[in-house]
Amino acid sequence: MEIAVSEHLIRVMVVAPKGRLDVNSVAELQKQLDALFGDGVPRIVIDLSAVPFLDSAGMAVLVGTLKSANQQQGNVVLVWPAEEAARRVLALTKFDRIFTIAETVSDAVDAF
Amino acid sequence: MTQREYEPIVLEMPATYTHLELLEPCVRLLVKQISGLAEPDVVAYNLVLGVHEICTNITRHGYHNEPGGRLSVIMAYEAATRQIVIQIEDHGAPFDPSSVPPPNLEQGQAGGYGLFLVRQLFDDVSYCTEPGKNTWRLVKAL
């Protein structure tokens, strides 16, 4: 009997902004996210646990990144913000339907 | 017994993204003064977010991100009706809120959530424009 064994490693990039994710800071996050594309299938975890405030500009970057990743057969998984009010706003905008959102980075990585 | 007087907070500032950070401490101070609130942190966050979105739109669309624009934010708690009323005035280009379609929440879109959030987070949202002045009025019942 011939048995072939091979190991496959899936690379997942974890991006963890700290601080407000809003119209003032999104350009910086966008730049960081853009740098992750172009080198294989994009599998990205965006850890929002240390984001105390998220506005529509921040949400736009998240969705834009998801759509770009999907176009390259990749995906974006989020980690819930620790801030309860921010979590509720993500639920209000149904982000929990268009994204997989995990409680921890470990869970988010496992989602791939 | 007389009702406690709540002084409005008036913030008059340049219409720039940088100055938006002034909104949060003012809103939180207003909310802190109101007794008997369930989840004051959530209330404050939602108010900040709504006002932030309006001010962002004014900066971007009313003043096209050009220097020199200014806006006023008047925040008040009306104890008699137990409502927070926030009025935002600018002198930039007028805006037509009815021209903004609601976002596609099922599929998500890269943009267009701002006004939707404002309408969800406040109980009454109105806008009026007259020559030289535009005014948003946001009301949140507590």
Side-chain angles (χ1 to χ4, degrees):
Chain A
M1 176 172 64
E2 190 176 317
I3 300 174
V5 176
S6 61
E7 181 179 33
H8 296 269
L9 298 175
I10 297 178
R11 187 179 78 157
V12 178
M13 302 301 291
V14 178
V15 179
K18 288 180 172 35
R20 290 167 64 104
L21 181 52
D22 65 5
V23 65
N24 278 303
S25 60
V26 286
E28 199 177 338
L29 177 63
Q30 184 71 72
K31 187 177 170 185
Q32 182 68 67
L33 292 168
D34 288 345
L36 301 180
F37 286 78
D39 186 20
V41 173
R43 298 182 185 90
I44 303 168
V45 168
I46 302 178
D47 176 8
L48 300 175
S49 62
V51 172
F53 180 82
L54 173 68
D55 72 353
S56 63
M59 292 178 192
V61 168
L62 298 178
V63 175
T65 305
L66 175 65
K67 290 184 182 292
S68 296
N70 288 164
Q71 283 172 1
Q72 296 183 34
Q73 287 72 53
N75 200 7
V76 174
V77 173
L78 305 180
V79 176
W80 286 106
E83 171 64 52
E84 174 61 26
R87 294 174 68 120
R88 292 188 194 181
V89 171
L90 288 182
L92 183 69
T93 48
K94 299 190 180 177
F95 266 40
D96 50 350
R97 291 199 196 174
I98 61 172
F99 286 95
T100 298
I101 311 182
E103 290 292 341
T104 66
V105 171
S106 177
D107 289 346
V109 171
D110 287 346
F112 283 94
Chain B
M1 181 164 62
T2 56
Q3 212 159 33
R4 180 187 162 182
E5 295 292 326
Y6 292 85
E7 294 283 343
I9 294 174
V10 182
L11 188 57
E12 201 276 340
M13 65 185 193
T16 74
Y17 295 152
T18 305
H19 285 85
L20 296 177
E21 290 194 20
L22 293 171
L23 297 171
E24 182 164 0
C26 292
V27 169
R28 289 198 177 273
L29 182 60
L30 180 74
V31 171
K32 191 178 171 183
Q33 296 172 67
I34 303 168
S35 60
L37 269 184
E39 300 186 309
D41 287 339
V42 173
V43 170
Y45 183 100
N46 291 343
L47 294 172
V48 171
L49 180 56
V51 178
H52 172 99
E53 294 292 344
I54 294 293
C55 293
T56 298
N57 281 348
I58 290 171
T59 301
R60 178 182 299 135
H61 301 297
Y63 293 118
H64 309 292
N65 284 315
E66 291 169 2
R70 298 192 71 86
L71 53 86
S72 299
V73 184
I74 305 163
M75 312 173 195
Y77 173 60
E78 296 179 351
T81 55
R82 207 158 163 80
Q83 289 181 334
I84 287 180
V85 180
I86 300 177
Q87 197 161 285
I88 306 160
E89 295 178 358
D90 73 273
H91 307 283
F95 171 70
D96 178 10
S98 67
S99 68
V100 180
N104 184 335
L105 299 181
E106 297 302 322
Q107 293 180 2
Q109 55 188 62
Y113 288 101
L115 198 51
F116 168 79
L117 284 172
V118 176
R119 289 174 173 146
Q120 293 296 308
L121 297 173
F122 285 86
D123 297 295
D124 188 64
V125 176
S126 60
Y127 176 80
C128 66
T129 180
E130 58 189 87
K133 189 171 88 168
N134 311 303
T135 306
W136 285 91
R137 187 171 184 269
L138 314 177
V139 179
K140 178 65 189 168
L142 301 177

